[in-house]
Amino acid sequence: MSDGEPPRARRVLVTGGGKGIGRAIVERFASEEAAVAFCGRGSRPLDQLASMLSSRGTNAYAESIDVSDEAAVERFVANAAKAMGGIDTVVNNASLTASSGISLAPLLETTTEEWRRTLGVNLDGVFFTSRAAGRIMKAAGRGGTIINISSVHAHVPHLSTPHYDAAKSAVEALTRHLALSLGADGIRVNAIAPGPIDVNTEDDAFSPEQRAALARWTVLNRFGNADEIATVASFLASPAASYITGQTIIVDGGFLLKHGGMGS
């Protein structure tokens, strides 16, 4: 390692780490011999993943929380830092999606309750986690990285998900602000905006016909997979990305190239 080169992530915190993209990210960093701390909703999948990783020699800590709960996030981040001996990288992946039960409705039919619930997880959770972990990383004086999982729908809205689209757009704006605020402390902040991703979960929101249609909206004519997002997260946390901050990396198979507007 050359002088001044940041260390590869060795202590990684991931929200929404129990399944889908989040689980793939947890497993990727664990395969790179990092300690991992992750949270999600529902203890069973978290405990199963932590047990599996621990059996392979990984320092793994898991906790079931709601990331829209500020106090719960503060406790989790503190517990994670204690379990790992610090924090080098944060991945804000926790998100309500169509697969996890957000309502699909036009703007004028979206309830205030659903709006606030979605932004509470998809935006407030990113802010709470980044603030708590950022304070720890700044105090440690070693720099670090924060990676926020956004969406192509921050760039191309869908008529039925105004709350989700607004939250993801705000996550990208928050990413730039965090990069500006924390850069002097050696903390880089970037976002990843996935397109259609096959997350291999039981709660797939799409029918076979819808999946085929979505695949056709990409240049590559296929869904991406969660490992392809994890690969980008690993890169952004590595010394190879040491001069990248305040950016959104779009990983969408060319979705945005083909899809200038989304009316349904």
Side-chain angles (χ1 to χ4, degrees):
M1 182 179 296
S2 62
D3 291 343
E5 182 178 296
R8 176 172 285 276
R10 286 289 177 251
R11 300 166 298 183
V12 181
L13 182 153
V14 182
T15 68
K19 61 183 180 179
I21 290 172
R23 177 173 179 138
I25 291 171
V26 169
E27 291 185 337
R28 172 58 60 91
F29 281 110
S31 74
E32 297 172 355
E33 302 182 348
V36 290
F38 49 97
C39 67
R41 300 296 297 271
S43 297
R44 185 176 179 181
L46 298 170
D47 291 343
Q48 289 176 339
L49 179 57
S51 178
M52 181 193 75
L53 294 174
S54 295
S55 71
R56 298 175 180 176
T58 297
N59 177 1
Y61 174 81
E63 192 173 320
S64 177
I65 68 164
D66 176 356
V67 296
S68 69
D69 182 333
E70 179 180 1
V73 170
E74 292 279 352
R75 286 193 299 270
F76 165 65
V77 172
N79 290 341
K82 182 178 180 180
M84 297 189 294
I87 299 172
D88 298 310
T89 290
V90 174
V91 183
N92 284 303
N93 172 72
S95 181
L96 293 178
T97 66
S99 295
S100 58
I102 65 170
S103 66
L104 301 179
L107 177 66
L108 300 184
E109 298 174 20
T110 299
T111 66
T112 301
E113 179 184 11
E114 191 66 17
W115 175 270
R116 288 176 176 165
R117 183 172 79 97
T118 303
L119 267 70
V121 173
N122 295 15
L123 178 58
D124 293 351
V126 176
F127 167 66
F128 295 150
T129 306
S130 298
R131 182 181 61 182
R135 287 169 174 165
I136 290 171
M137 289 190 285
K138 179 175 180 177
R142 298 180 69 252
T145 57
I146 298 174
I147 301 163
N148 298 323
I149 305 301
S150 177
S151 169
V152 289
H153 294 302
H155 305 267
V156 179
H158 191 295
L159 280 176
S160 296
T161 55
H163 38 20
Y164 180 85
D165 301 348
K168 292 302 186 180
S169 295
V171 164
E172 293 193 7
L174 179 59
T175 296
R176 294 188 291 271
H177 185 90
L178 287 166
L180 181 64
S181 297
L182 301 176
D185 298 300
I187 301 170
R188 298 184 297 104
V189 188
N190 293 289
I192 302 171
I197 300 296
D198 188 349
V199 294
N200 295 317
T201 61
E202 296 177 357
D203 51 1
D204 191 341
F206 303 113
S207 68
E209 294 77 15
Q210 290 172 320
R211 289 175 63 84
L214 276 171
R216 288 195 297 271
W217 276 116
T218 71
V219 170
L220 299 181
N221 293 310
R222 67 173 178 87
F223 271 58
N225 63 66
D227 287 337
E228 290 173 306
I229 306 303
T231 296
V232 178
S234 175
F235 164 71
L236 288 174
S238 76
S242 60
Y243 203 53
I244 300 174
T245 196
Q247 305 302 308
T248 295
I249 310 301
I250 297 171
V251 187
D252 70 345
F255 181 92
L256 293 179
L257 290 176
K258 293 185 71 172
H259 205 32
M262 199 170 194
S264 63

